[in-house]
Amino acid sequence: MSKVPFGSLAAAIAALGTVLGFFALQLRADGYEQYVESVANFSVVMYVTAALIVVTWLRDGRPYSN
């Protein structure tokens, strides 16, 4: 079984978090305050998910002990 592409997955999810962060800023500038908190929270969730994927990637690279 091949290794899961952790790096590209983490980068894509972090990029999604960045886009959502900019989207939240744009919503605030356009006056849609009621949506800013939800979009900003989802952006943070994407960054946390990307960080957890990186941790999984690092742990997967360790040698297995039997």
Side-chain angles (χ1 to χ4, degrees):
M1 186 166 99
S2 65
K3 292 187 82 161
V4 179
F6 290 113
S8 60
L9 180 62
I13 291 176
L16 177 61
T18 302
V19 168
L20 287 170
F22 283 122
F23 184 55
L25 292 174
Q26 187 64 42
L27 285 173
R28 177 166 288 164
D30 290 342
Y32 293 101
E33 290 288 328
Q34 67 267 28
Y35 302 113
V36 170
E37 185 177 357
S38 297
V39 174
N41 284 339
F42 194 64
S43 174
V44 170
V45 167
M46 291 298 102
Y47 281 121
V48 170
T49 302
L52 291 174
I53 290 171
V54 169
V55 169
T56 303
W57 186 13
L58 293 174
R59 289 181 55 97
D60 185 58
R62 295 188 321 185
Y64 297 102
S65 61
N66 290 332

